Amino acid sequence: MKIAVTRKEHFNAAHRLHNASWSEEENERVFGKCSNPNFHGHNYELLVTLVGEPDRNTGYVYDLKVLSDTIKEKIIRQFDHKNLNLDTPFFKDLNPTAENIAVVIWNILRKEIDLRFDLKIKLYETERNFVEYPAA
Amino acid sequence: MKIAVTRKEHFNAAHRLHNASWSEEENERVFGKCSNPNFHGHNYELLVTLVGEPDRNTGYVYDLKVLSDTIKEKIIRQFDHKNLNLDTPFFKDLNPTAENIAVVIWNILRKEIDLRFDLKIKLYETERNFVEYPAA
Amino acid sequence: MKIAVTRKEHFNAAHRLHNASWSEEENERVFGKCSNPNFHGHNYELLVTLVGEPDRNTGYVYDLKVLSDTIKEKIIRQFDHKNLNLDTPFFKDLNPTAENIAVVIWNILRKEIDLRFDLKIKLYETERNFVEYPAA
Amino acid sequence: MKIAVTRKEHFNAAHRLHNASWSEEENERVFGKCSNPNFHGHNYELLVTLVGEPDRNTGYVYDLKVLSDTIKEKIIRQFDHKNLNLDTPFFKDLNPTAENIAVVIWNILRKEIDLRFDLKIKLYETERNFVEYPAA
Amino acid sequence: MKIAVTRKEHFNAAHRLHNASWSEEENERVFGKCSNPNFHGHNYELLVTLVGEPDRNTGYVYDLKVLSDTIKEKIIRQFDHKNLNLDTPFFKDLNPTAENIAVVIWNILRKEIDLRFDLKIKLYETERNFVEYPAA
Amino acid sequence: MKIAVTRKEHFNAAHRLHNASWSEEENERVFGKCSNPNFHGHNYELLVTLVGEPDRNTGYVYDLKVLSDTIKEKIIRQFDHKNLNLDTPFFKDLNPTAENIAVVIWNILRKEIDLRFDLKIKLYETERNFVEYPAA
């Protein structure tokens, strides 16, 4: 049976929900206060899970210190204290919903993590709203 | 791959565990202090998860503000600050264990949520005791 | 300088807010859904703080295992899985608000703890509502 | 002895730390990534504490439902899903540090709460950084 | 559909990560500060999940009080306030990583729990590092 | 009025409670399982609070990034993943109770922080046991 190992990191960012092909009124109607043109922000909590078999010599599925370093270098460095819409290349044409942020993070990390490990992302936008990709 | 989105809400309620076809002694033997005839209570934390694919226009699997409103209207309004045994129609002949409360909530919400979304309930009775329906 | 040491315990109880000298309508007007005659309930989190000087031989201000045992014997045993209004002697003529519960607990524990220690109670009724007695 | 009662609310906002009388380089040197001109953001947790004596008839120091409504009307409505620098009148010439936000909130609420109650603000900018005004 | 029920317990223990067939230098290189020969320690949070169908008479999948007692007798009694490497028989030739501790706990509890229930272990070593066995 | 600002950090360490002038039996009688000669351990959560007036130019009482760096350099570096009894110079003749650890940390940090700021330490040994020095 396989084991899942998880590392939690966090970043603080500004964003707005916005579909550029819609009018401001349509954005306001669909996204409400989340579409504020001056942005709002969140403390995002990011959980990255790898699933695999423990190494016989180390007893690790994956060294979580190494995973933490990878998350910090590839995700936190470009998302923390940033405006997701303006300061990152990912959300020029993609709405930075928690769903889309999770998929972007998964796509970045999937290139860094050996394919013998399954990869899952859980992202808290607030304590009461969170998403998981892929769904269990 | 599909994405899971979750909204957390809460309600405070009284209940007792009780099988009406048993004697008080039998209820006391099986349910212990949870069968106190004068009731006890909990701060229930309720997590409702929907699984589906994000909408191309909004980037949402499901608008969590809409989900929050649905939970409040269909669940919180009739469970919060209530006696689950006496004040709701669900537990006249059904013991209000966390398991049964979760199934009742699932059955109520399943009628409100489009069937293209999978629906899961996680219910904390205390910080140390919780249930999930359906099991992952 | 003195040191404060704190132990956290919890109990689950039913209660209703109610002034017996008022009509049900007046209770409903003032206490709203908290006055439900069939009760509701909470997971109460109780923090008991003692302030004093550490003992030279043990390095303890107070052995928190002993404090935990005292809280369990004097408070938890009579409050946990109980109806505060009906099952305890304290709230026959006293409304079981968080404020009054905290004062009742302080009065009980004050008799058990040597007077050279200051005693403070912090009581969470929900994660968002709590009281402290005496106020800092 | 007096009792302290506390209500917790939250708001999500964007901000940047910035002293308008300084160059961008000076702002960058002092505030680091917190001075990002495109803003970042936080889930702010706000705890409002009132200290007073419980009312003999209600057992309340202050009805926390009323306090919650006041906080929502006077604070949350103008801070939640807003850019603190651009969307509120308070931080045109005042840097929106957690310290200054707490003082602004205290000044707003002080006008709403009867002066027989002491008023304290605790504001979490992140789970690891928070401020209290006035200090205990 | 089946229901999952979970009980959370905790234990505080010392450990070091160490492969006895390696030199101290190799252990230091691979495990870093976790290989400190004088040990370090953690507050482990242990979640035990059983999956099954609720009993028609009780409404329980499994009585969580009974599960709590089983965890305390079979796990907590021999792990709490212990040195996992020196005081338990499990980690003489097995590195006490969170992964291996979770598998050891699963193997112990699997003998205690009727096989009609699926068994899952989630173990937090810190708030930011945790493992699940078997993986979902 | 002054403002309090707080930074939270953490360290994982092993320790045992032990009075070297007592027999093992006496240590066992007083400290119970906390006196295990092979040590046990904790995830310590450390909150460091400074009280002062905000600077007019920055709006900071104290830059919490600077405070974080000071705590990491002076405390975390010598306490994290260490055996408090064996690996640090502080607890050769001093029992590493939470009370004494808090006083040791206060004494170290007091030399690093300008005396115009009041300094307070809050140390969680477990989620249910914590100490504060000096007491509020």
Side-chain angles (χ1 to χ4, degrees), chain F residues 47-63:
Chain F
L47 292 94
V48 177
T49 299
L50 304 185
V51 178
E53 290 181 18
D55 180 271
R56 286 188 170 271
N57 290 315
T58 63
Y60 282 156
V61 167
Y62 201 94
D63 185 336

Side-chain angles (χ1 to χ4, degrees), chain A residues 4-19:
Chain A
V5 301
T6 299
R7 176 68 188 173
K8 186 167 107 170
E9 301 288 348
H10 60 91
F11 57 94
N12 309 317
H15 79 152
R16 71 173 296 210
L17 299 187
H18 180 70
N19 181 326

Side-chain angles (χ1 to χ4, degrees), chain A residues 45-86:
Chain A
E45 294 286 343
L46 168 63
L47 292 92
V48 177
T49 298
L50 303 185
V51 178
E53 291 181 18
D55 181 90
R56 284 186 173 272
N57 290 313
T58 63
Y60 282 155
V61 168
Y62 202 94
D63 185 336
L64 291 180
K65 178 66 173 62
V66 172
L67 180 57
S68 172
D69 289 345
T70 301
I71 301 168
K72 283 174 180 154
E73 184 188 336
K74 300 298 178 184
I75 306 296
I76 305 304
R77 199 165 60 171
Q78 62 183 331
F79 282 18
D80 187 37
H81 282 73
K82 294 293 169 61
N83 183 307
L84 297 179
N85 303 68
L86 301 181

Side-chain angles (χ1 to χ4, degrees), chain A residues 19 97 99 127 129-130 132 135, chain B residues 2 4 6-8 59 61:
Chain A
N19 181 326
T97 58
E99 291 92 328
E127 193 237 335
N129 288 355
F130 62 87
E132 293 161 281
Chain B
K2 292 194 167 183
T6 298
R7 175 68 187 173
K8 185 167 107 171
V61 168

Side-chain angles (χ1 to χ4, degrees), chain D residues 22-30:
Chain D
W22 293 348
S23 66
E24 280 300 311
E25 291 69 25
E26 182 70 359
N27 275 288
E28 165 74 18
R29 192 187 60 76
V30 173

Side-chain angles (χ1 to χ4, degrees), chain A residues 29-30 33 128-129, chain B residues 7-9 46 48 50 62-78 108-109 112-113:
Chain A
R29 193 188 59 76
V30 174
K33 60 188 180 179
R128 298 192 168 270
N129 288 355
Chain B
R7 175 68 187 173
K8 185 167 107 171
E9 300 288 348
L46 169 64
V48 177
L50 303 185
Y62 201 94
D63 184 337
L64 290 180
K65 178 66 173 64
V66 172
L67 180 58
S68 172
D69 289 345
T70 301
I71 300 168
K72 282 174 181 155
E73 184 188 336
K74 300 298 179 184
I75 306 294
I76 305 304
R77 199 165 59 171
Q78 61 182 333
I108 295 170
L109 291 179
E112 307 296 326
I113 305 292

Side-chain angles (χ1 to χ4, degrees), chain A residues 102-114:
Chain A
V103 173
V104 162
I105 290 172
W106 190 93
N107 287 333
I108 295 171
L109 291 179
R110 186 64 283 181
K111 299 188 190 85
E112 307 297 326
I113 305 290
D114 190 296

